[in-house]
Amino acid sequence: MNNTDKIRVRFAPSPTGNLHIGGVRTAIFNWLFAKANNGTFILRIEDTDQNRYDKDSEDSIISSLNWLGIKWDEGPIRQSEKQEDYIKVAKELIDAGWAYYDDTTSEELEELRKQQIREKRPPRYDNRGRYKEITHEQYNANNSTLNPIVIRFKVPDSGAKPFYDEIRGNVSFDLKEIDDFVILKSDGMPTYHLAHVVDDHEMKISHIIRGEEWISSTPRHVLIHDALDWNLPKYVHVPLILGKDKSKLSKRHGAESALEYKEKGYLPEALLNFLALLGWSPGDNKEIMNLSEIIEKFTIKRILGHPAVFDPEKLEWMNGSYIRNLNDEELSKYILNEINKDIKSGGLLSDSVDSNILISKISSITPLIKERLKTFSESSYLVEYFFYDNFKIEKEKLLPKKVESFQIIEGLKKLIELIIKIEEFEPENLEVQFRKLAEDLNLKAGQLFFPIRIALTGRKESPPLFDTMKVIGRESSIKRLDNAINILN
RNA sequence: GCCCCGUUGGUGUAGUGGCCUAACACGCCUGCCUUUCACGCAGGAGAUCACCGGUUCAAAUCCGGUACGGGGUACCA
């Protein structure tokens, strides 16, 4: 009875907060499925809750998707703009005997719930509104904040409502477990249950790919479809993403919104690749995949039915791997961007460096820090010492074990002479000469190299010594060595 | 409480009845490389496939129960 075989899917977040990692993963699955099947991906904003609505979060959703390169073919469609559609369907349902008006107050509901809990019965609406027989006219005349009236769906008292989930197979719920649920709130807005069913039907959605938290309300959705005599879409309930302690992913587990990962210096390709592998796998051993590979391999059948724990360390590793695959020009731009961000916020390098010098320096530093970078937020730290000639160094740091201070001083002095004299200021050349010098001074290479590294960088770890020296330059290298001699004296 | 879904090393996954003496990746450890760090390379530790029972000549794989985890139980999505 399907009117079309065309694949149409949607991502339908509600604008009530940041788009978190779990939501992003759901968006990715929808989008990949559409891409893999030449289908249509639709963005729909489910903003029917006026109380929780937050304009900023809609922007956050959109910029998150943009950042990740997830483009929608239709939308964004906002449910708040189509209120009449839902009201119309809700009234149809009333006329057909599938729904009714109910003016039970929240106080009454609360009282009912308390009583049920007291009697150790499952808390559930008792369907009392069915017998009130409120008419359209009475509703129109009386519904107000003082006398709120909702529309509820009339759920059959017995029987079962099985449905087929593409990941889990047949799932069945007893209808006696389900009470008459609200489909139109007293403010005239639909609940999720009604709104999404109407929209998915209007938009001819073929597959509903959504989080597992929806699985237990699916029978209601099937019920509405049946009452309206609409075709059922295919249901695909994807597992949730959990934090390290197996609880629902939250702020406690590190960054949780997609945009925070952008801020922290992750590459969107890496995040996407990583998230695609949470709850899905292509079945081969390949993990680092470009977009077209992922699309090519993506099938719903290979989505798992159990939740995955989010592992930030593995994401970091994957990001580093993507960074190493960038070419130097691209990487340079990312690093520069990060540095500029830091300068603006008054962080590292805020002593203002001429922007032309900054650009050329960063591009020569880039190859040196490339395989030391896991996220761009580390850029400033890794790059910092290339820009300053004077930094505080503790005397002890300059002295390796079993070497006397005067030996180092002598070594550094000779080094300076050597640097002044040397014709080609190139890493290979420098290394050969330095090794010879160490020998002449009766020092092991390491004994001499160690203080040089400290003198040049202020740190005990850095990129290869002579490459670093080359980027620092002849003049600055001399200054720094000189500085170290002064500290030792 | 009740309902639904799930359960392979610490984590993500592979495995769909014999090839499993359980594979790959992250993480961890050791060594090599680099006289530093990282990258890379070579190794290693780590899983009685949640448990119990059944089906079968044969089970991580099929069935049932138990335990544990997750989700739901709103005029939220």
Side-chain angles (χ1 to χ4, degrees), chain A residues 219-264:
Chain A
R220 295 165 211 234
H221 311 152
V222 176
L223 244 14
I224 297 175
H225 278 91
D226 289 354
L228 262 4
D229 202 23
W230 288 349
N231 288 327
L232 227 46
K234 295 204 159 135
Y235 287 103
V236 185
H237 289 101
V238 307
L240 266 20
I241 298 177
L242 308 179
K244 206 142 203 119
D245 56 1
K246 305 235 172 175
S247 69
K248 219 170 171 179
L249 196 61
S250 76
K251 292 187 186 70
R252 295 197 327 276
H253 308 287
E256 54 140 15
S257 85
L259 259 16
E260 274 176 72
Y261 285 93
K262 183 185 178 191
E263 282 313 301
K264 282 180 157 189

Side-chain angles (χ1 to χ4, degrees), chain A residues 106 112 128 209-210 262 297 300 376 387 391 404 438:
Chain A
S106 47
L112 173 66
R128 65 178 66 170
I209 303 174
R210 73 210 324 182
K262 183 185 178 191
K297 291 173 180 174
I300 284 176
F376 294 125
F387 291 89
F391 23 73
E404 294 301 319

Side-chain angles (χ1 to χ4, degrees), chain A residues 8-13 19 27-28 30-32 34-35 39-45 57-78 203 205:
Chain A
R8 291 173 63 82
V9 293
R10 78 320 192 258
F11 175 55
L19 184 56
I28 290 171
N30 272 285
W31 181 65
L32 289 175
K35 289 277 165 204
T40 305
F41 175 68
I42 302 164
L43 176 61
R44 189 171 74 212
I45 305 293
S57 70
E58 187 176 321
D59 296 340
S60 142
I61 288 162
I62 288 177
S63 44
S64 299
L65 296 178
N66 282 151
W67 175 59
L68 286 157
I70 298 175
K71 294 196 179 68
W72 49 95
D73 306 299
E74 294 175 21
I77 289 147
R78 285 175 199 80
M203 296 173 188
I205 297 300

Side-chain angles (χ1 to χ4, degrees), chain A residues 29 161-173 206-219 221-222 232-240 279 300-306:
Chain A
F29 280 179
K161 194 86 270 185
F163 65 93
Y164 185 80
D165 181 89
E166 299 296 312
I167 293 172
R168 294 149 225 272
N170 273 101
V171 179
S172 186
F173 286 80
S206 61
H207 299 250
I208 296 181
I209 303 174
R210 73 210 324 182
E212 185 184 10
E213 70 266 30
W214 293 112
I215 200 158
S216 50
S217 46
T218 304
H221 311 152
V222 176
L232 227 46
K234 295 204 159 135
Y235 287 103
V236 185
H237 289 101
V238 307
L240 266 20
I300 284 176
K301 276 178 283 300
R302 295 202 60 93
I303 297 177
L304 277 333
H306 61 89

Side-chain angles (χ1 to χ4, degrees), chain A residues 84-108:
Chain A
E84 322 78 61
D85 297 21
Y86 312 117
I87 294 176
K88 187 170 148 267
V89 173
K91 291 195 170 169
E92 268 171 44
L93 252 9
I94 290 180
D95 293 336
W98 279 108
Y100 56 86
Y101 291 113
D102 179 30
D103 64 357
T104 310
T105 63
S106 47
E107 290 75 31
E108 289 173 305

